[in-house]
Amino acid sequence: MASQTRAAAVKAGARLPQDHAARAEAQGQPVKVTLTADQYGGAEPLTVQLPRALVDSYEAVNAVYTGFVMPIVQELDADARQAILDAATDETGKTRNTLVQRILVAALTQAAQGE
């Protein structure tokens, strides 16, 4: 019965489901991550795109976890970099390194867990 249903669906032009996350990974597409304010200690949700190469990079994760965020921030595109810096800037105008680190840890963790 199932094979008849599948055959009818294929005949009608239906396509098999695709694993979009696997395809995006294979093509090296950036990973879009949305963090809630609670996830990083900010005031509002934050959405950034991370380069695929950072998501599965031991060196990147190690650098962020040890507090050395500058090389990772430099790997981001201008929009992602600015969004993170804006989110990490307090009401006095000071950009907090600890907040930048929390954002990157949360973003890399979420990206590594899947899209």
Side-chain angles (χ1 to χ4, degrees), residues 27-52:
Q27 294 176 350
Q29 294 175 344
V31 180
K32 186 175 183 179
V33 175
T34 300
L35 303 174
T36 65
D38 291 339
Q39 285 178 294
Y40 72 94
E44 56 189 53
L46 173 65
T47 300
V48 294
Q49 282 195 350
L50 301 174
R52 177 72 57 183

Side-chain angles (χ1 to χ4, degrees), residues 19 28 30 32 34-35 39-40 52 57 59 70-71 81-82 84 90 95 100 112 114:
D19 186 346
K32 186 175 183 179
T34 300
L35 303 174
Q39 285 178 294
Y40 72 94
R52 177 72 57 183
S57 168
E59 290 81 9
M70 189 55 68
R81 186 179 317 115
Q82 194 58 52
I84 290 171
D90 65 17
T95 303
V100 172

Side-chain angles (χ1 to χ4, degrees), residues 7-112:
V10 170
K11 187 177 179 181
R15 295 178 154 194
L16 292 174
Q18 300 294 314
D19 186 346
H20 298 290
R23 183 175 54 197
E25 183 175 354
Q27 294 176 350
Q29 294 175 344
V31 180
K32 186 175 183 179
V33 175
T34 300
L35 303 174
T36 65
D38 291 339
Q39 285 178 294
Y40 72 94
E44 56 189 53
L46 173 65
T47 300
V48 294
Q49 282 195 350
L50 301 174
R52 177 72 57 183
L54 288 182
V55 174
D56 194 30
S57 168
Y58 171 80
E59 290 81 9
V61 173
N62 187 46
V64 169
Y65 272 94
T66 57
F68 195 53
V69 298
M70 189 55 68
I72 307 311
V73 171
Q74 291 173 342
E75 292 291 320
L76 302 173
D77 67 29
D79 292 336
R81 186 179 317 115
Q82 194 58 52
I84 290 171
L85 294 177
D86 289 346
T89 301
D90 65 17
E91 61 279 348
T92 67
K94 185 173 182 179
T95 303
R96 303 287 179 177
N97 187 59
T98 55
L99 200 47
V100 172
Q101 182 183 10
R102 269 189 259 155
I103 291 168
L104 289 173
V105 165
L108 286 171
T109 300
Q110 184 174 327

